[in-house]
mmCIF file of all heavy atoms in Angstrom:
data_model
loop_
_atom_site.group_PDB
_atom_site.id
_atom_site.type_symbol
_atom_site.label_atom_id
_atom_site.label_comp_id
_atom_site.label_asym_id
_atom_site.label_seq_id
_atom_site.Cartn_x
_atom_site.Cartn_y
_atom_site.Cartn_z
ATOM 1 N N ARG J 193 -26.344 -26.551 -3.348
ATOM 2 C CA ARG J 193 -25.772 -27.887 -3.594
ATOM 3 C C ARG J 193 -24.260 -27.807 -3.784
ATOM 4 O O ARG J 193 -23.544 -28.743 -3.505
ATOM 5 C CB ARG J 193 -26.408 -28.547 -4.831
ATOM 6 C CG ARG J 193 -27.911 -28.749 -4.784
ATOM 7 C CD ARG J 193 -28.460 -29.145 -3.434
ATOM 8 N NE ARG J 193 -27.832 -30.354 -2.904
ATOM 9 C CZ ARG J 193 -27.759 -30.639 -1.599
ATOM 10 N NH1 ARG J 193 -28.255 -29.811 -0.698
ATOM 11 N NH2 ARG J 193 -27.193 -31.765 -1.198
ATOM 12 N N ILE J 194 -23.802 -26.683 -4.322
ATOM 13 C CA ILE J 194 -22.364 -26.538 -4.585
ATOM 14 C C ILE J 194 -21.607 -26.376 -3.265
ATOM 15 O O ILE J 194 -20.607 -27.056 -3.025
ATOM 16 C CB ILE J 194 -22.104 -25.346 -5.533
ATOM 17 C CG1 ILE J 194 -22.668 -25.645 -6.933
ATOM 18 C CG2 ILE J 194 -20.611 -25.025 -5.617
ATOM 19 C CD1 ILE J 194 -22.621 -24.458 -7.889
ATOM 20 N N PRO J 196 -22.971 -26.720 0.278
ATOM 21 C CA PRO J 196 -24.198 -26.963 1.044
ATOM 22 C C PRO J 196 -24.270 -26.160 2.327
ATOM 23 O O PRO J 196 -23.269 -25.950 3.017
ATOM 24 C CB PRO J 196 -24.128 -28.468 1.341
ATOM 25 C CG PRO J 196 -23.261 -29.024 0.274
ATOM 26 C CD PRO J 196 -22.251 -27.955 -0.012
ATOM 27 N N GLU J 208 -20.701 -9.853 -9.355
ATOM 28 C CA GLU J 208 -19.940 -9.830 -10.606
ATOM 29 C C GLU J 208 -20.798 -10.076 -11.834
ATOM 30 O O GLU J 208 -20.416 -9.695 -12.938
ATOM 31 C CB GLU J 208 -18.801 -10.855 -10.546
ATOM 32 C CG GLU J 208 -17.756 -10.587 -9.465
ATOM 33 C CD GLU J 208 -16.990 -9.274 -9.615
ATOM 34 O OE1 GLU J 208 -17.143 -8.594 -10.657
ATOM 35 O OE2 GLU J 208 -16.248 -8.921 -8.686
ATOM 36 N N VAL J 214 -17.271 -8.228 -13.430
ATOM 37 C CA VAL J 214 -16.382 -8.895 -14.390
ATOM 38 C C VAL J 214 -17.057 -10.066 -15.081
ATOM 39 O O VAL J 214 -16.575 -10.523 -16.116
ATOM 40 C CB VAL J 214 -15.068 -9.371 -13.720
ATOM 41 C CG1 VAL J 214 -14.279 -8.202 -13.197
ATOM 42 C CG2 VAL J 214 -15.327 -10.381 -12.628
ATOM 43 N N GLU J 253 -23.153 -31.970 -15.375
ATOM 44 C CA GLU J 253 -21.702 -31.788 -15.355
ATOM 45 C C GLU J 253 -21.032 -32.534 -16.501
ATOM 46 O O GLU J 253 -19.894 -32.226 -16.862
ATOM 47 C CB GLU J 253 -21.163 -32.303 -14.013
ATOM 48 C CG GLU J 253 -19.776 -31.797 -13.658
ATOM 49 C CD GLU J 253 -19.376 -32.191 -12.243
ATOM 50 O OE1 GLU J 253 -20.034 -33.055 -11.621
ATOM 51 O OE2 GLU J 253 -18.388 -31.619 -11.753
ATOM 52 N N VAL J 266 -19.802 -23.481 -10.606
ATOM 53 C CA VAL J 266 -19.146 -24.126 -9.456
ATOM 54 C C VAL J 266 -17.925 -23.318 -9.018
ATOM 55 O O VAL J 266 -17.743 -23.038 -7.829
ATOM 56 C CB VAL J 266 -18.723 -25.571 -9.803
ATOM 57 C CG1 VAL J 266 -17.720 -26.115 -8.784
ATOM 58 C CG2 VAL J 266 -19.948 -26.483 -9.872
ATOM 59 N N GLU J 267 -17.095 -22.934 -9.981
ATOM 60 C CA GLU J 267 -15.890 -22.175 -9.621
ATOM 61 C C GLU J 267 -16.259 -20.841 -9.007
ATOM 62 O O GLU J 267 -15.689 -20.430 -7.997
ATOM 63 C CB GLU J 267 -14.985 -21.973 -10.840
ATOM 64 C CG GLU J 267 -14.300 -23.256 -11.315
ATOM 65 C CD GLU J 267 -13.497 -23.946 -10.220
ATOM 66 O OE1 GLU J 267 -12.713 -23.275 -9.520
ATOM 67 O OE2 GLU J 267 -13.672 -25.171 -10.049
ATOM 68 N N TRP J 268 -17.218 -20.149 -9.601
ATOM 69 C CA TRP J 268 -17.588 -18.829 -9.081
ATOM 70 C C TRP J 268 -18.155 -18.913 -7.659
ATOM 71 O O TRP J 268 -17.849 -18.081 -6.813
ATOM 72 C CB TRP J 268 -18.612 -18.152 -10.006
ATOM 73 C CG TRP J 268 -18.076 -17.835 -11.373
ATOM 74 C CD1 TRP J 268 -16.778 -17.562 -11.713
ATOM 75 C CD2 TRP J 268 -18.820 -17.777 -12.584
ATOM 76 N NE1 TRP J 268 -16.678 -17.343 -13.065
ATOM 77 C CE2 TRP J 268 -17.913 -17.452 -13.623
ATOM 78 C CE3 TRP J 268 -20.175 -17.946 -12.909
ATOM 79 C CZ2 TRP J 268 -18.310 -17.310 -14.955
ATOM 80 C CZ3 TRP J 268 -20.574 -17.803 -14.231
ATOM 81 C CH2 TRP J 268 -19.644 -17.483 -15.243
ATOM 82 N N THR J 270 -17.708 -21.420 -5.395
ATOM 83 C CA THR J 270 -16.738 -21.898 -4.405
ATOM 84 C C THR J 270 -15.642 -20.877 -4.153
ATOM 85 O O THR J 270 -15.238 -20.668 -3.009
ATOM 86 C CB THR J 270 -16.111 -23.240 -4.828
ATOM 87 O OG1 THR J 270 -15.535 -23.109 -6.142
ATOM 88 C CG2 THR J 270 -17.147 -24.357 -4.830
ATOM 89 N N GLU J 271 -15.149 -20.218 -5.206
ATOM 90 C CA GLU J 271 -14.088 -19.232 -4.954
ATOM 91 C C GLU J 271 -14.643 -18.071 -4.129
ATOM 92 O O GLU J 271 -13.938 -17.534 -3.268
ATOM 93 C CB GLU J 271 -13.462 -18.737 -6.265
ATOM 94 C CG GLU J 271 -14.291 -17.736 -7.038
ATOM 95 C CD GLU J 271 -13.842 -17.505 -8.463
ATOM 96 O OE1 GLU J 271 -13.026 -18.289 -9.000
ATOM 97 O OE2 GLU J 271 -14.332 -16.523 -9.061
ATOM 98 N N TYR J 274 -14.711 -19.271 -0.415
ATOM 99 C CA TYR J 274 -13.424 -19.343 0.278
ATOM 100 C C TYR J 274 -12.707 -17.999 0.339
ATOM 101 O O TYR J 274 -11.743 -17.857 1.090
ATOM 102 C CB TYR J 274 -12.535 -20.428 -0.346
ATOM 103 C CG TYR J 274 -13.083 -21.811 -0.068
ATOM 104 C CD1 TYR J 274 -13.559 -22.630 -1.087
ATOM 105 C CD2 TYR J 274 -13.164 -22.288 1.243
ATOM 106 C CE1 TYR J 274 -14.099 -23.879 -0.810
ATOM 107 C CE2 TYR J 274 -13.709 -23.535 1.528
ATOM 108 C CZ TYR J 274 -14.174 -24.331 0.492
ATOM 109 O OH TYR J 274 -14.709 -25.554 0.771
ATOM 110 N N TRP J 280 -13.734 -18.279 5.444
ATOM 111 C CA TRP J 280 -12.559 -18.261 6.315
ATOM 112 C C TRP J 280 -12.869 -18.922 7.653
ATOM 113 O O TRP J 280 -12.088 -19.721 8.149
ATOM 114 C CB TRP J 280 -12.092 -16.819 6.553
ATOM 115 C CG TRP J 280 -11.733 -16.075 5.308
ATOM 116 C CD1 TRP J 280 -11.361 -16.599 4.113
ATOM 117 C CD2 TRP J 280 -11.734 -14.661 5.140
ATOM 118 N NE1 TRP J 280 -11.117 -15.604 3.207
ATOM 119 C CE2 TRP J 280 -11.339 -14.401 3.807
ATOM 120 C CE3 TRP J 280 -12.011 -13.568 5.985
ATOM 121 C CZ2 TRP J 280 -11.222 -13.105 3.307
ATOM 122 C CZ3 TRP J 280 -11.889 -12.293 5.480
ATOM 123 C CH2 TRP J 280 -11.501 -12.061 4.151
ATOM 124 N N PHE J 282 -15.049 -21.128 8.181
ATOM 125 C CA PHE J 282 -15.291 -22.543 7.954
ATOM 126 C C PHE J 282 -13.992 -23.352 7.979
ATOM 127 O O PHE J 282 -13.937 -24.449 8.529
ATOM 128 C CB PHE J 282 -16.010 -22.727 6.611
ATOM 129 C CG PHE J 282 -16.262 -24.152 6.256
ATOM 130 C CD1 PHE J 282 -17.181 -24.896 6.978
ATOM 131 C CD2 PHE J 282 -15.579 -24.764 5.226
ATOM 132 C CE1 PHE J 282 -17.401 -26.232 6.665
ATOM 133 C CE2 PHE J 282 -15.798 -26.090 4.906
ATOM 134 C CZ PHE J 282 -16.712 -26.822 5.630
ATOM 135 N N VAL J 283 -12.911 -22.803 7.384
ATOM 136 C CA VAL J 283 -11.654 -23.563 7.358
ATOM 137 C C VAL J 283 -10.696 -23.160 8.461
ATOM 138 O O VAL J 283 -9.618 -23.729 8.587
ATOM 139 C CB VAL J 283 -10.924 -23.432 5.990
ATOM 140 C CG1 VAL J 283 -11.755 -24.014 4.868
ATOM 141 C CG2 VAL J 283 -10.537 -21.987 5.707
ATOM 142 N N PHE J 285 -9.372 -19.974 8.973
ATOM 143 C CA PHE J 285 -8.416 -18.940 8.568
ATOM 144 C C PHE J 285 -8.771 -17.653 9.299
ATOM 145 O O PHE J 285 -9.919 -17.237 9.312
ATOM 146 C CB PHE J 285 -8.515 -18.754 7.043
ATOM 147 C CG PHE J 285 -7.666 -17.649 6.489
ATOM 148 C CD1 PHE J 285 -6.309 -17.845 6.268
ATOM 149 C CD2 PHE J 285 -8.222 -16.419 6.177
ATOM 150 C CE1 PHE J 285 -5.521 -16.819 5.742
ATOM 151 C CE2 PHE J 285 -7.448 -15.389 5.649
ATOM 152 C CZ PHE J 285 -6.095 -15.604 5.433
ATOM 153 N N ARG J 286 -7.764 -16.993 9.909
ATOM 154 C CA ARG J 286 -8.053 -15.816 10.731
ATOM 155 C C ARG J 286 -7.249 -14.615 10.238
ATOM 156 O O ARG J 286 -6.105 -14.414 10.634
ATOM 157 C CB ARG J 286 -7.681 -16.104 12.195
ATOM 158 C CG ARG J 286 -8.631 -17.068 12.900
ATOM 159 C CD ARG J 286 -8.143 -17.378 14.330
ATOM 160 N NE ARG J 286 -6.803 -17.919 14.346
ATOM 161 C CZ ARG J 286 -6.492 -19.188 14.136
ATOM 162 N NH1 ARG J 286 -7.440 -20.072 13.881
ATOM 163 N NH2 ARG J 286 -5.236 -19.589 14.161
ATOM 164 N N PRO J 287 -7.831 -13.789 9.362
ATOM 165 C CA PRO J 287 -7.094 -12.623 8.887
ATOM 166 C C PRO J 287 -7.110 -11.513 9.930
ATOM 167 O O PRO J 287 -7.796 -11.616 10.951
ATOM 168 C CB PRO J 287 -7.895 -12.196 7.654
ATOM 169 C CG PRO J 287 -9.295 -12.608 7.987
ATOM 170 C CD PRO J 287 -9.178 -13.865 8.803
ATOM 171 N N VAL J 288 -6.372 -10.451 9.642
ATOM 172 C CA VAL J 288 -6.291 -9.322 10.564
ATOM 173 C C VAL J 288 -7.648 -8.651 10.718
ATOM 174 O O VAL J 288 -8.050 -8.283 11.808
ATOM 175 C CB VAL J 288 -5.248 -8.300 10.034
ATOM 176 C CG1 VAL J 288 -5.389 -6.962 10.720
ATOM 177 C CG2 VAL J 288 -3.858 -8.846 10.239
ATOM 178 N N ASP J 289 -8.335 -8.447 9.599
ATOM 179 C CA ASP J 289 -9.661 -7.848 9.710
ATOM 180 C C ASP J 289 -10.603 -8.601 8.793
ATOM 181 O O ASP J 289 -10.184 -9.191 7.796
ATOM 182 C CB ASP J 289 -9.634 -6.351 9.367
ATOM 183 C CG ASP J 289 -9.470 -6.101 7.885
ATOM 184 O OD1 ASP J 289 -10.496 -6.094 7.163
ATOM 185 O OD2 ASP J 289 -8.327 -5.936 7.445
ATOM 186 N N ARG J 293 -13.421 -7.970 1.166
ATOM 187 C CA ARG J 293 -12.510 -7.181 0.328
ATOM 188 C C ARG J 293 -13.155 -7.049 -1.041
ATOM 189 O O ARG J 293 -12.740 -7.594 -1.990
ATOM 190 C CB ARG J 293 -11.145 -7.877 0.276
ATOM 191 C CG ARG J 293 -10.406 -7.674 1.580
ATOM 192 C CD ARG J 293 -10.801 -8.760 2.575
ATOM 193 N NE ARG J 293 -10.196 -8.586 3.880
ATOM 194 C CZ ARG J 293 -8.950 -8.885 4.172
ATOM 195 N NH1 ARG J 293 -8.198 -9.356 3.214
ATOM 196 N NH2 ARG J 293 -8.464 -8.696 5.365
ATOM 197 N N TYR D 50 -2.107 1.138 4.250
ATOM 198 C CA TYR D 50 -2.580 -0.238 4.167
ATOM 199 C C TYR D 50 -3.859 -0.327 3.348
ATOM 200 O O TYR D 50 -4.034 -1.218 2.511
ATOM 201 C CB TYR D 50 -2.806 -0.769 5.582
ATOM 202 C CG TYR D 50 -3.400 -2.154 5.673
ATOM 203 C CD1 TYR D 50 -2.825 -3.228 5.011
ATOM 204 C CD2 TYR D 50 -4.525 -2.399 6.460
ATOM 205 C CE1 TYR D 50 -3.362 -4.502 5.112
ATOM 206 C CE2 TYR D 50 -5.064 -3.666 6.572
ATOM 207 C CZ TYR D 50 -4.480 -4.718 5.899
ATOM 208 O OH TYR D 50 -5.020 -5.970 6.005
ATOM 209 N N ARG D 55 -7.090 -5.712 -0.826
ATOM 210 C CA ARG D 55 -6.882 -6.935 -0.062
ATOM 211 C C ARG D 55 -7.822 -8.047 -0.493
ATOM 212 O O ARG D 55 -8.130 -8.947 0.281
ATOM 213 C CB ARG D 55 -7.073 -6.633 1.430
ATOM 214 C CG ARG D 55 -5.990 -5.727 1.979
ATOM 215 C CD ARG D 55 -6.356 -5.150 3.308
ATOM 216 N NE ARG D 55 -7.429 -4.177 3.198
ATOM 217 C CZ ARG D 55 -8.425 -4.069 4.071
ATOM 218 N NH1 ARG D 55 -8.497 -4.865 5.099
ATOM 219 N NH2 ARG D 55 -9.342 -3.146 3.904
ATOM 220 N N ASP D 56 -8.242 -7.985 -1.739
ATOM 221 C CA ASP D 56 -9.151 -9.005 -2.279
ATOM 222 C C ASP D 56 -8.361 -10.286 -2.540
ATOM 223 O O ASP D 56 -7.337 -10.259 -3.233
ATOM 224 C CB ASP D 56 -9.755 -8.443 -3.568
ATOM 225 C CG ASP D 56 -10.848 -9.289 -4.151
ATOM 226 O OD1 ASP D 56 -10.852 -10.524 -3.919
ATOM 227 O OD2 ASP D 56 -11.687 -8.736 -4.871
ATOM 228 N N HIS D 57 -8.838 -11.402 -2.014
ATOM 229 C CA HIS D 57 -8.129 -12.671 -2.191
ATOM 230 C C HIS D 57 -8.152 -13.159 -3.631
ATOM 231 O O HIS D 57 -7.444 -14.109 -3.961
ATOM 232 C CB HIS D 57 -8.735 -13.730 -1.267
ATOM 233 C CG HIS D 57 -8.331 -13.550 0.160
ATOM 234 N ND1 HIS D 57 -8.431 -14.548 1.108
ATOM 235 C CD2 HIS D 57 -7.819 -12.495 0.824
ATOM 236 C CE1 HIS D 57 -8.012 -14.102 2.280
ATOM 237 N NE2 HIS D 57 -7.640 -12.866 2.137
ATOM 238 N N ARG D 59 -7.854 -10.852 -6.210
ATOM 239 C CA ARG D 59 -7.228 -9.800 -7.024
ATOM 240 C C ARG D 59 -5.955 -9.345 -6.331
ATOM 241 O O ARG D 59 -5.913 -8.311 -5.684
ATOM 242 C CB ARG D 59 -8.160 -8.592 -7.176
ATOM 243 C CG ARG D 59 -9.406 -8.829 -8.009
ATOM 244 C CD ARG D 59 -10.336 -7.620 -7.923
ATOM 245 N NE ARG D 59 -11.447 -7.675 -8.851
ATOM 246 C CZ ARG D 59 -12.589 -8.325 -8.633
ATOM 247 N NH1 ARG D 59 -12.745 -9.031 -7.526
ATOM 248 N NH2 ARG D 59 -13.561 -8.293 -9.535
ATOM 249 N N TYR D 66 -9.298 -11.902 -11.200
ATOM 250 C CA TYR D 66 -10.123 -10.882 -11.861
ATOM 251 C C TYR D 66 -9.440 -9.532 -11.950
ATOM 252 O O TYR D 66 -10.008 -8.587 -12.483
ATOM 253 C CB TYR D 66 -11.467 -10.735 -11.140
ATOM 254 C CG TYR D 66 -12.248 -12.025 -11.141
ATOM 255 C CD1 TYR D 66 -12.424 -12.758 -9.976
ATOM 256 C CD2 TYR D 66 -12.760 -12.533 -12.325
ATOM 257 C CE1 TYR D 66 -13.108 -13.958 -9.993
ATOM 258 C CE2 TYR D 66 -13.444 -13.737 -12.352
ATOM 259 C CZ TYR D 66 -13.615 -14.440 -11.185
ATOM 260 O OH TYR D 66 -14.284 -15.634 -11.200
ATOM 261 N N CYS D 227 0.297 -11.966 10.883
ATOM 262 C CA CYS D 227 -0.974 -12.211 10.203
ATOM 263 C C CYS D 227 -0.736 -13.167 9.039
ATOM 264 O O CYS D 227 0.393 -13.350 8.604
ATOM 265 C CB CYS D 227 -1.574 -10.889 9.716
ATOM 266 S SG CYS D 227 -0.939 -10.296 8.127
ATOM 267 N N PRO D 228 -1.789 -13.783 8.514
ATOM 268 C CA PRO D 228 -1.597 -14.763 7.453
ATOM 269 C C PRO D 228 -1.695 -14.193 6.038
ATOM 270 O O PRO D 228 -1.767 -14.960 5.079
ATOM 271 C CB PRO D 228 -2.749 -15.746 7.695
ATOM 272 C CG PRO D 228 -3.843 -14.880 8.220
ATOM 273 C CD PRO D 228 -3.170 -13.796 9.025
ATOM 274 N N GLU D 229 -1.698 -12.860 5.919
ATOM 275 C CA GLU D 229 -1.866 -12.269 4.580
ATOM 276 C C GLU D 229 -0.667 -11.408 4.220
ATOM 277 O O GLU D 229 -0.761 -10.191 4.092
ATOM 278 C CB GLU D 229 -3.145 -11.424 4.537
ATOM 279 C CG GLU D 229 -4.408 -12.261 4.627
ATOM 280 C CD GLU D 229 -5.637 -11.418 4.895
ATOM 281 O OE1 GLU D 229 -5.666 -10.723 5.931
ATOM 282 O OE2 GLU D 229 -6.562 -11.456 4.083
ATOM 283 N N TRP D 379 -7.780 -23.405 -2.752
ATOM 284 C CA TRP D 379 -8.904 -24.050 -3.436
ATOM 285 C C TRP D 379 -8.723 -24.004 -4.956
ATOM 286 O O TRP D 379 -8.981 -24.967 -5.656
ATOM 287 C CB TRP D 379 -10.210 -23.374 -3.024
ATOM 288 C CG TRP D 379 -11.383 -23.853 -3.801
ATOM 289 C CD1 TRP D 379 -12.076 -23.159 -4.752
ATOM 290 C CD2 TRP D 379 -11.973 -25.157 -3.743
ATOM 291 N NE1 TRP D 379 -13.072 -23.964 -5.292
ATOM 292 C CE2 TRP D 379 -13.029 -25.176 -4.688
ATOM 293 C CE3 TRP D 379 -11.709 -26.305 -2.994
ATOM 294 C CZ2 TRP D 379 -13.821 -26.307 -4.885
ATOM 295 C CZ3 TRP D 379 -12.496 -27.420 -3.201
ATOM 296 C CH2 TRP D 379 -13.537 -27.420 -4.136
ATOM 297 N N LYS D 380 -8.272 -22.850 -5.480
ATOM 298 C CA LYS D 380 -8.159 -22.692 -6.930
ATOM 299 C C LYS D 380 -6.997 -23.473 -7.507
ATOM 300 O O LYS D 380 -7.045 -23.928 -8.626
ATOM 301 C CB LYS D 380 -7.962 -21.215 -7.310
ATOM 302 C CG LYS D 380 -9.077 -20.268 -6.950
ATOM 303 C CD LYS D 380 -10.354 -20.540 -7.658
ATOM 304 C CE LYS D 380 -10.315 -20.181 -9.129
ATOM 305 N NZ LYS D 380 -11.654 -20.415 -9.717
ATOM 306 N N ARG D 389 -15.173 -30.874 -7.168
ATOM 307 C CA ARG D 389 -15.126 -29.428 -7.018
ATOM 308 C C ARG D 389 -16.368 -28.859 -6.345
ATOM 309 O O ARG D 389 -16.445 -27.661 -6.132
ATOM 310 C CB ARG D 389 -14.971 -28.749 -8.392
ATOM 311 C CG ARG D 389 -13.665 -29.049 -9.120
ATOM 312 C CD ARG D 389 -12.433 -28.606 -8.360
ATOM 313 N NE ARG D 389 -12.282 -27.155 -8.329
ATOM 314 C CZ ARG D 389 -11.385 -26.527 -7.585
ATOM 315 N NH1 ARG D 389 -10.588 -27.221 -6.799
ATOM 316 N NH2 ARG D 389 -11.305 -25.203 -7.620
ATOM 317 N N TRP D 390 -17.369 -29.717 -6.007
ATOM 318 C CA TRP D 390 -18.576 -29.184 -5.378
ATOM 319 C C TRP D 390 -19.231 -30.264 -4.533
ATOM 320 O O TRP D 390 -18.880 -31.433 -4.610
ATOM 321 C CB TRP D 390 -19.557 -28.666 -6.434
ATOM 322 C CG TRP D 390 -20.055 -29.695 -7.413
ATOM 323 C CD1 TRP D 390 -19.419 -30.142 -8.529
ATOM 324 C CD2 TRP D 390 -21.305 -30.396 -7.351
ATOM 325 N NE1 TRP D 390 -20.180 -31.073 -9.171
ATOM 326 C CE2 TRP D 390 -21.345 -31.249 -8.478
ATOM 327 C CE3 TRP D 390 -22.392 -30.372 -6.464
ATOM 328 C CZ2 TRP D 390 -22.438 -32.082 -8.739
ATOM 329 C CZ3 TRP D 390 -23.471 -31.198 -6.731
ATOM 330 C CH2 TRP D 390 -23.487 -32.048 -7.860
ATOM 331 N N GLY D 391 -20.154 -29.800 -3.695
ATOM 332 C CA GLY D 391 -20.919 -30.728 -2.873
ATOM 333 C C GLY D 391 -20.370 -30.864 -1.469
ATOM 334 O O GLY D 391 -19.345 -30.276 -1.102
ATOM 335 N N ALA D 392 -21.085 -31.660 -0.680
ATOM 336 C CA ALA D 392 -20.757 -31.795 0.740
ATOM 337 C C ALA D 392 -19.384 -32.418 0.942
ATOM 338 O O ALA D 392 -18.642 -32.036 1.853
ATOM 339 C CB ALA D 392 -21.831 -32.609 1.449
ATOM 340 N N LYS D 395 -16.638 -29.861 0.388
ATOM 341 C CA LYS D 395 -16.630 -28.905 1.492
ATOM 342 C C LYS D 395 -15.995 -29.535 2.727
ATOM 343 O O LYS D 395 -15.195 -28.919 3.425
ATOM 344 C CB LYS D 395 -18.069 -28.482 1.788
ATOM 345 C CG LYS D 395 -18.225 -27.217 2.611
ATOM 346 C CD LYS D 395 -19.704 -26.941 2.872
ATOM 347 C CE LYS D 395 -19.867 -25.688 3.724
ATOM 348 N NZ LYS D 395 -21.124 -25.633 4.436
ATOM 349 N N MET D 398 -12.175 -29.768 2.500
ATOM 350 C CA MET D 398 -11.523 -28.505 2.831
ATOM 351 C C MET D 398 -11.558 -28.250 4.327
ATOM 352 O O MET D 398 -10.567 -27.805 4.903
ATOM 353 C CB MET D 398 -12.217 -27.335 2.101
ATOM 354 C CG MET D 398 -11.824 -27.193 0.657
ATOM 355 S SD MET D 398 -10.102 -26.653 0.421
ATOM 356 C CE MET D 398 -10.263 -24.888 0.762
ATOM 357 N N ARG D 399 -12.675 -28.558 4.972
ATOM 358 C CA ARG D 399 -12.789 -28.287 6.403
ATOM 359 C C ARG D 399 -11.707 -29.037 7.177
ATOM 360 O O ARG D 399 -11.092 -28.505 8.086
ATOM 361 C CB ARG D 399 -14.183 -28.688 6.931
ATOM 362 C CG ARG D 399 -14.450 -28.266 8.373
ATOM 363 C CD ARG D 399 -15.740 -28.873 8.928
ATOM 364 N NE ARG D 399 -15.622 -30.307 9.121
ATOM 365 C CZ ARG D 399 -14.984 -30.880 10.146
ATOM 366 N NH1 ARG D 399 -14.407 -30.145 11.073
ATOM 367 N NH2 ARG D 399 -14.931 -32.196 10.243
ATOM 368 N N TYR D 402 -7.627 -28.275 4.889
ATOM 369 C CA TYR D 402 -6.947 -26.991 4.727
ATOM 370 C C TYR D 402 -5.926 -26.789 5.854
ATOM 371 O O TYR D 402 -4.836 -26.261 5.633
ATOM 372 C CB TYR D 402 -7.958 -25.834 4.691
ATOM 373 C CG TYR D 402 -7.297 -24.489 4.766
ATOM 374 C CD1 TYR D 402 -6.640 -23.947 3.662
ATOM 375 C CD2 TYR D 402 -7.287 -23.759 5.955
ATOM 376 C CE1 TYR D 402 -5.999 -22.722 3.745
ATOM 377 C CE2 TYR D 402 -6.656 -22.534 6.033
ATOM 378 C CZ TYR D 402 -6.009 -22.023 4.932
ATOM 379 O OH TYR D 402 -5.373 -20.821 5.012
ATOM 380 N N ARG D 403 -6.268 -27.222 7.058
ATOM 381 C CA ARG D 403 -5.345 -27.029 8.178
ATOM 382 C C ARG D 403 -4.312 -28.152 8.288
ATOM 383 O O ARG D 403 -3.440 -28.094 9.147
ATOM 384 C CB ARG D 403 -6.128 -26.943 9.496
ATOM 385 C CG ARG D 403 -6.716 -25.542 9.733
ATOM 386 C CD ARG D 403 -7.087 -25.343 11.193
ATOM 387 N NE ARG D 403 -7.983 -26.388 11.675
ATOM 388 C CZ ARG D 403 -9.283 -26.408 11.456
ATOM 389 N NH1 ARG D 403 -9.861 -25.452 10.760
ATOM 390 N NH2 ARG D 403 -10.027 -27.393 11.927
#
Side-chain angles (χ1 to χ4, degrees):
Chain J
R193 301 322 304 155
I194 293 173
E208 297 298 352
V214 297
E253 198 172 14
V266 164
E267 289 305 312
W268 295 331
T270 55
E271 77 194 14
Y274 291 114
W280 301 337
F282 178 69
V283 297
F285 176 80
R286 288 176 303 277
V288 164
D289 73 86
R293 285 87 184 282
Chain D
Y50 176 53
R55 293 165 290 140
D56 188 333
H57 285 198
R59 292 172 171 84
Y66 300 109
C227 83
E229 291 167 301
W379 173 251
K380 298 296 288 183
R389 296 299 289 171
W390 61 278
K395 197 182 179 202
M398 281 291 282
R399 188 189 69 78
Y402 170 76
R403 279 198 305 280

